[in-house]
Amino acid sequence: MQGTLLYGPRDVRFEERADPKISEPTDAIIKIVATCVCGSDLWPYRGIEELSQPQPMGHEYVGIVEDVGSAVKNIKVGDFVIGSFAISDNTCEICKAGYQSRCVHGQFVSQTIGTQAELARIPLADGTLVATPGRPDRDLIPSLLAASDVLGTGWFAADAASVGPGKTVVVIGDGAVGLLAVLASRQLGAERIIAMSRQAKRQELAREYGATNILTERGEAGVEKVKELTSGLGAHSVIEAVGTQESMLQAIRSTRPGGFIGYVGVSHNVKLDGEELFFSEVHLHGGPAPVRRFLPDLIERIWKRQINPGKVFDLQLPLAQVAEGYRAMDERRAIKVLLWP
Amino acid sequence: MQGTLLYGPRDVRFEERADPKISEPTDAIIKIVATCVCGSDLWPYRGIEELSQPQPMGHEYVGIVEDVGSAVKNIKVGDFVIGSFAISDNTCEICKAGYQSRCVHGQFVSQTIGTQAELARIPLADGTLVATPGRPDRDLIPSLLAASDVLGTGWFAADAASVGPGKTVVVIGDGAVGLLAVLASRQLGAERIIAMSRQAKRQELAREYGATNILTERGEAGVEKVKELTSGLGAHSVIEAVGTQESMLQAIRSTRPGGFIGYVGVSHNVKLDGEELFFSEVHLHGGPAPVRRFLPDLIERIWKRQINPGKVFDLQLPLAQVAEGYRAMDERRAIKVLLWP
C-alpha cells in the first residue's frame, strides 16, 4: 500500500509501505475511506517534536473493515467504522471511568500505525472502533471523520470545562478543535460563547457553530476583554485548544474563581506557576481526549444531521497530495485538510 | 488590647495594639474566645514570605460578638460566632457559587486584622460570621475553632478531590489540614484512605480519624507504594496539603488518569510542567478554601458531636505565650497550637 511518512522538518513523503496484517487476534484491518491532517501533526512537522526515524503519520480515520482477528466480536468485515487516535479495550477500569485515552492496554495511533495511508491495522478493534448504523451518505463522511479526533476533542474540552446551560464560555484557539469546541458548547446549552479569533473565515465558522461573541485580542488584552464581558469576574468555562504558555495563562486569567478550564492543546514548553494557579482557584482538567467516550453520541448527532462538524474541512485533497495538505495547514491557508485515498 | 505581631523571621511578640473599632456599618467587633497558630503562619515566621513591616498575625477565631455596625442584621451582640480567614459578603455571584474565599468584596484576615489577639474587627460580619445555636460547652470550642480554617480547608480539599463512596483517597501532608482531610474523607464515605505520615502521634490521629493505610514513604517511593495499593492505577482522589514542588508532583503522580486532586497547601516555588500535567489527565482544583461554604454543615456535625476535629490541638497555651506556640509548631513538637486569651 501507499502511506505517509515524515522524514524530518517539513519533509512529508507519500510512498510504498508494507501492507498491515492481522498480528493479534484482537486486531482489525481497515481500508481507509477518509483521513486528515491534525493540528498536532504540525508539532513534529515543524521540528518542535524530534523524530528519531521516518515516522508513519496520521491518527484520524474512517474506513471499511477488511479483515478481523479471531477474537473480534463487535466489528465485522464490511462495517463502516470510526475510531479515535487512542487504542482502547473499553473494558478496563480506566476505560469504564470514561478515560479510554489512558486505557491500561492502550497505545496511541500516532507514531506507530499512521492512518494517512490506504490501509491501517487497528489493535483492540472491539474496544476502539464504533460502527455506523449503515453505510453513510458521502456528504456525512467529513463529519464522521471529524468525530475521530477534532470533534471528540472539542467535545471533551467542553465537558472538562463544565459547559452547560447558563454558562459563559471562552474558546481560545480557532483551529478545528477550537471551532468544534464552539459547536460542542452550543450543543451543551451554553448561554454565551466567546470565540477568540482573528481570521475572517474562522470567525465566520465560529459564528455558524454558535459563537455569540468574537474577540480578536490576545494575551492580556484578550483577558481584559473577557473580563469586560463578564462583569469583571471572568468566564465560567474556558476551553484552551492551543497548548502554549501564552494560551494557558490566557485561559487561567480568563476564568472566574471556581470556574473550569478544559485544556486540550498538547502542552509544549508550558510551565505553570503554582502560586498563580492556587490563587486563581480554577478547576483545571485536560489531556489527550477520551474521544471513544463520546463517539456513539457524536455519531448519532451526525447521522441525524443535527450537527455538521465536517465543515472544518475547508480543503480536500487526494491522499497522494498529503504533503500539500501539511503545507496548507502549516501556513494556515486551511483550517483542516481532508485526504481521500 | 494585647495582640500578636511578627517583626521578622522567628520574632513573634505579644504586645499592646489599639483596640479595634467599628469603622464600617457592616463590621462586627468580637471578643476572641479561642484562636490558634496555622501552618501557613509558619511561611512568614520562617522568613519564606517577606514582611515589609510588623504584621498582625492570626486568622482563625471563635468569639463572642461585642459590637455590631448599623447595617449588621444576622449577627447580634452576645452571639458566639465562627468565621473563616476569608471575609465574604456571601451574596455576590462568586460567593453564591460557593467561592466565598474569592468574594468580590473580600479580603483575607491575615496581614491586616490578626486574630491572635483579644479583640478583632470582622468586616462584612453578616456574610462572614456564622453563629452557633447557643453558647457551646467548653469542650466543643477546640472543634469549633478548627472549623474556622483547618477543618474547612481539609473538607474543601476532599470536596475538590471528589471524595465519595467507593473511592480510594491519598492524603499528602500530616499537618492539621491533612489530618482533617482524612476526617472529611471518612465523613464523605471514602472506601480507603491512605495517609502519608512518618510521625507516630500523627499516624495515630490519622487512624482515629479514619485512615485505613499509613505510608511512611515520600516522593517517588510514596507514589510507587500508592500504585501497589491500587492495582498500578493510582488513587481516585488525592489531597495535597503541603504546598511544595515535591508534594505537588507526588500528588499528580499518585492520581489515576481521570482522577481528582484537591490541593490546599499554599503553593511556594511550585512550577508545574504542562506536558506532564497534560498526560497525567488529572483534575486539579484547589486554592484558598471557601470555608464559609461548609461552615453551617461543619458546625452542625460538631454540635451533634459526630466529629471531633479539635483533637488536632495537641498543645494549648495562654495567648500571651503565643511565641512558644509558634516555636512548637515550627519544630513540629505540636500538630496545632490553641491559644486562650
Side-chain angles (χ1 to χ4, degrees):
Chain A
M1 70 160 186
Q2 299 282 104
T4 304
L5 290 166
L6 180 66
Y7 276 77
R10 293 185 168 80
D11 183 3
V12 169
R13 303 184 202 173
F14 188 65
E15 59 184 28
E16 194 63 28
R17 287 178 56 199
D19 277 10
K21 304 275 178 226
I22 299 287
S23 63
E24 298 288 335
T26 47
D27 287 349
I29 303 297
I30 64 171
K31 185 175 190 310
I32 301 290
V33 170
T35 182
C36 51
V37 184
C38 184
S40 68
D41 292 332
L42 297 179
W43 294 106
Y45 180 77
R46 290 168 175 164
I48 295 166
E49 283 172 7
E50 278 190 37
L51 302 178
S52 54
Q53 55 187 10
Q55 183 176 297
M57 296 296 290
H59 55 263
E60 299 160 286
Y61 54 101
V62 295
I64 293 167
V65 178
E66 284 224 326
D67 195 5
V68 295
S70 57
V72 175
K73 304 268 180 276
N74 305 336
I75 297 295
K76 58 185 191 305
V77 170
D79 280 352
F80 188 95
V81 291
I82 304 163
S84 106
F85 58 85
I87 302 299
S88 56
D89 62 19
N90 214 28
T91 57
C92 77
E93 200 173 327
I94 301 296
C95 282
K96 281 195 271 187
Y99 285 87
Q100 291 91 340
S101 47
R102 295 297 306 281
C103 172
V104 297
H105 300 113
Q107 56 173 291
F108 289 123
V109 170
S110 330
Q111 297 166 16
T112 51
I113 296 169
T115 59
Q116 290 160 3
E118 291 170 322
L119 297 168
R121 181 180 72 87
I122 305 297
L124 301 176
D126 270 346
T128 304
L129 299 172
V130 180
T132 55
R135 284 289 169 99
D137 293 336
R138 187 167 169 99
D139 72 304
L140 286 185
I141 289 175
S143 287
L144 293 168
L145 176 62
S148 175
D149 179 353
V150 281
L151 174 61
T153 296
W155 205 279
F156 168 62
D159 183 79
S162 203
V163 171
K167 299 291 181 69
T168 294
V169 183
V170 170
V171 180
I172 300 171
D174 63 357
V177 170
L179 292 167
L180 292 171
V182 171
L183 178 152
S185 298
R186 172 56 60 228
Q187 290 284 310
L188 293 168
E191 184 172 306
R192 274 201 302 178
I193 303 169
I194 303 167
M196 317 296 291
S197 175
R198 294 183 164 185
Q199 212 186 67
K201 191 166 70 169
R202 293 164 192 250
Q203 292 175 347
E204 192 184 326
L205 193 50
R207 285 203 188 275
E208 186 175 333
Y209 280 160
T212 53
N213 303 69
I214 304 278
L215 295 181
T216 55
E217 291 81 359
R218 284 186 194 164
E220 284 309 303
V223 172
E224 283 314 303
K225 275 285 182 184
V226 168
K227 292 277 177 77
E228 277 175 33
L229 290 171
T230 54
S231 312
L233 301 178
H236 300 97
S237 301
V238 175
I239 291 165
E240 193 287 329
V242 181
T244 62
Q245 181 73 18
E246 292 68 26
S247 61
M248 283 298 285
L249 286 182
Q250 190 179 335
I252 291 167
R253 293 170 185 171
S254 298
T255 309
R256 66 179 56 196
F260 290 78
I261 296 171
Y263 69 109
V264 290
V266 182
S267 301
H268 283 81
N269 299 317
V270 171
K271 291 277 178 201
L272 299 181
D273 180 72
E275 195 172 350
E276 173 162 4
L277 196 62
F278 182 85
F279 286 101
S280 74
E281 202 126 23
V282 299
H283 297 76
L284 192 60
H285 183 44
V291 174
R292 180 64 182 79
R293 189 204 308 174
F294 304 101
L295 268 183
D297 176 46
L298 300 180
I299 291 171
E300 189 181 342
R301 289 174 196 255
I302 293 165
W303 208 260
K304 291 180 172 167
R305 296 177 192 273
Q306 290 170 356
I307 56 175
N308 188 2
K311 287 199 86 169
V312 294
F313 294 107
D314 55 348
L315 179 60
Q316 304 198 7
L317 295 171
L319 176 57
Q321 292 175 35
V322 57
E324 166 56 16
Y326 274 81
R327 281 191 295 272
M329 295 258 306
D330 181 37
E331 294 161 13
R332 281 178 77 85
R333 282 186 278 120
I335 299 172
K336 196 161 175 75
V337 180
L338 186 147
L339 302 164
W340 298 103
Chain B
M1 68 161 186
Q2 300 281 105
T4 304
L5 288 166
L6 180 67
Y7 276 77
R10 292 185 168 79
D11 182 4
V12 169
R13 303 184 202 173
F14 188 66
E15 58 184 29
E16 193 63 29
R17 289 178 54 198
D19 278 8
K21 304 272 178 228
I22 298 285
S23 63
E24 299 289 334
T26 47
D27 287 348
I29 303 297
I30 63 172
K31 182 175 193 311
I32 301 289
V33 170
T35 182
C36 49
V37 184
C38 184
S40 69
D41 291 333
L42 297 180
W43 294 107
Y45 180 77
R46 290 168 175 164
I48 295 167
E49 283 171 8
E50 277 188 39
L51 303 178
S52 55
Q53 55 188 7
Q55 181 177 297
M57 295 296 289
H59 54 264
E60 301 159 285
Y61 54 101
V62 295
I64 292 168
V65 178
E66 286 223 325
D67 195 7
V68 294
S70 59
V72 175
K73 303 270 180 277
N74 305 333
I75 297 295
K76 57 185 191 305
V77 170
D79 280 351
F80 188 94
V81 292
I82 305 164
S84 106
F85 58 85
I87 301 300
S88 56
D89 63 20
N90 213 27
T91 57
C92 76
E93 200 173 328
I94 301 296
C95 282
K96 282 196 268 185
Y99 285 87
Q100 292 92 340
S101 46
R102 295 297 306 280
C103 172
V104 299
H105 300 113
Q107 59 173 287
F108 290 122
V109 170
S110 330
Q111 298 167 15
T112 51
I113 296 170
T115 59
Q116 290 160 4
E118 291 170 323
L119 297 168
R121 181 181 71 88
I122 306 297
L124 301 176
D126 270 346
T128 303
L129 299 172
V130 180
T132 54
R135 286 289 169 100
D137 293 338
R138 187 167 169 96
D139 70 306
L140 286 184
I141 289 176
S143 288
L144 292 168
L145 176 62
S148 174
D149 180 354
V150 282
L151 174 61
T153 296
W155 205 279
F156 168 62
D159 184 77
S162 201
V163 171
K167 299 290 181 68
T168 293
V169 183
V170 169
V171 180
I172 299 171
D174 63 357
V177 171
L179 292 167
L180 291 170
V182 170
L183 178 151
S185 297
R186 171 57 62 224
Q187 291 284 310
L188 293 168
E191 185 173 304
R192 275 203 300 179
I193 303 168
I194 302 167
M196 317 296 292
S197 176
R198 294 182 164 187
Q199 211 187 67
K201 189 167 70 168
R202 292 164 193 252
Q203 291 174 348
E204 192 185 324
L205 192 50
R207 284 201 189 276
E208 185 175 335
Y209 279 160
T212 54
N213 303 69
I214 305 280
L215 294 181
T216 55
E217 290 81 0
R218 282 186 195 165
E220 284 308 303
V223 172
E224 283 312 303
K225 275 286 184 185
V226 168
K227 291 278 177 78
E228 277 175 31
L229 290 171
T230 54
S231 312
L233 301 178
H236 300 97
S237 300
V238 175
I239 291 165
E240 194 286 328
V242 181
T244 63
Q245 181 73 14
E246 292 67 26
S247 61
M248 282 299 282
L249 286 182
Q250 188 179 336
I252 291 167
R253 294 172 184 169
S254 298
T255 309
R256 66 179 56 195
F260 291 78
I261 296 171
Y263 69 109
V264 289
V266 183
S267 301
H268 282 80
N269 299 317
V270 172
K271 291 275 178 203
L272 299 181
D273 180 72
E275 196 172 350
E276 172 161 6
L277 196 61
F278 183 84
F279 285 102
S280 74
E281 202 125 22
V282 299
H283 297 77
L284 193 60
H285 182 45
V291 173
R292 180 65 181 79
R293 189 203 309 175
F294 305 101
L295 268 183
D297 175 48
L298 299 180
I299 291 171
E300 190 180 341
R301 289 173 195 255
I302 292 164
W303 208 259
K304 292 179 174 171
R305 297 176 192 273
Q306 289 169 358
I307 56 175
N308 188 1
K311 287 200 83 168
V312 295
F313 294 108
D314 55 347
L315 178 62
Q316 304 196 9
L317 295 170
L319 177 57
Q321 292 175 35
V322 57
E324 166 56 15
Y326 274 81
R327 280 193 294 274
M329 295 260 303
D330 181 38
E331 295 162 10
R332 281 177 79 83
R333 283 187 278 119
I335 299 174
K336 195 162 175 77
V337 179
L338 186 148
L339 302 163
W340 298 104

